[in-house]
């Protein structure tokens, strides 16, 4: 954490860091495959989101504990339309999820976390739990923490004018159910070159989606 940052930003970061530690403890979170994470240099982690992206702080905490690195997360662009959220997210490592921002972060040598399913995956209904929802995304599990209904009447818009609707889930009151979290990291894959045809990028996307689905099936417990 940069000591030159303003006191408010430092305080928010420390509060979030404490919350991440508590979340990891509450969910007995573990990170098998952490040996695949490099200690330095650019890396893109591609994974599956849970409801509301609630798992992200615990995941980032485990990554930092294993590597000493603070990840950057490509966040759903709709969040940057919410006044307070768009201010705080960058303080916590959140970057607006665009291809240019992802490439810029990687060029700077960051460890970048990407969820291609975006908001579709974050706000998915129970029937889609533990299933990657990457839809047509080419650029680049913890669904038991809250119970949420399929009924659209129990959903609210993410922001005025946004197409995504947020399900109003419940756990132990407002707190998440103490389900165990497992974040499995696989071996690195070499992506296609920047000038590769779209068909090759789609093939790589499909390969990643299959691997993530396999990890979900093997570690869903």
């Amino acid at each position: 954490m940069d000591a030159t940052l303003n006191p408010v930003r430092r305080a928010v970061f420390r509060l979030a860091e404490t919350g991440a530690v508590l979340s990891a403890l509450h969910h007995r979170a573990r990170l098998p495959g952490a040996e695949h994470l490099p200690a330095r240099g650019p890396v893109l982690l591609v994974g599956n989101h849970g409801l509301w992206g609630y798992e992200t702080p615990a995941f980032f905490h485990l990554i930092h504990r294993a590597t000493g690195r603070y990840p950057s997360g490509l966040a759903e662009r709709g969040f940057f339309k919410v006044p307070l959220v768009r201010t705080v997210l960058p303080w916590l490592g959140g970057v607006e999820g665009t291809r240019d921002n992802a490439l810029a972060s990687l060029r700077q040598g960051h460890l970048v976390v990407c969820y291609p399913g975006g908001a579709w995956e974050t706000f998915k209904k129970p029937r889609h739990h533990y299933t990657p929802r990457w839809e047509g995304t080419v650029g680049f599990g913890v669904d038991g923490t809250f119970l949420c209904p399929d009924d659209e009447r129990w959903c609210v818009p993410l922001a005025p004018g946004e197409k995504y609707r947020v399900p109003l889930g419940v756990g132990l009151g407002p707190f998440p159910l103490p389900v165990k979290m497992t974040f499995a990291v696989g071996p690195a894959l070499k992506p296609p070159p920047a000038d590769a045809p779209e068909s090759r990028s789609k093939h790589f996307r499909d390969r990643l989606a299959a691997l993530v689905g396999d990890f979900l099936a093997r570690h869903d417990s």
Side-chain angles (χ1 to χ4, degrees), residues 109-159:
H110 294 311
L111 189 158
V112 181
V113 178
C114 172
Y115 300 98
W120 288 116
E121 209 165 58
T122 305
F123 307 138
K124 59 192 169 189
K125 302 296 187 298
R127 61 183 177 275
H128 297 302
H129 284 183
Y130 297 102
T131 304
R133 293 203 64 199
W134 292 10
E135 310 299 342
T137 304
V138 176
F140 291 99
V142 287
D143 291 320
T145 49
F146 294 94
L147 303 176
C148 61
D150 267 322
D151 195 330
E152 286 288 337
R153 291 176 298 179
W154 292 94
C155 299
V156 297
L158 172 61

Side-chain angles (χ1 to χ4, degrees), residues 23-49:
S23 178
L25 290 173
H26 179 65
H27 295 290
R28 296 159 289 151
R30 62 193 189 95
L31 187 67
E35 67 275 8
H36 297 304
L37 297 171
R40 61 182 63 84
V43 59
L44 179 66
L45 294 181
V46 180
N48 173 65
H49 247 325

Side-chain angles (χ1 to χ4, degrees), residues 49 74 105:
H49 247 325
L74 298 179
S105 294

Side-chain angles (χ1 to χ4, degrees), residues 2-24:
D2 191 343
T4 65
L5 297 178
N6 71 66
V8 173
R9 183 170 175 176
R10 284 203 306 273
V12 169
F13 185 89
R14 294 305 180 197
L15 181 62
E17 197 170 39
T18 300
V21 172
L22 293 175
S23 178

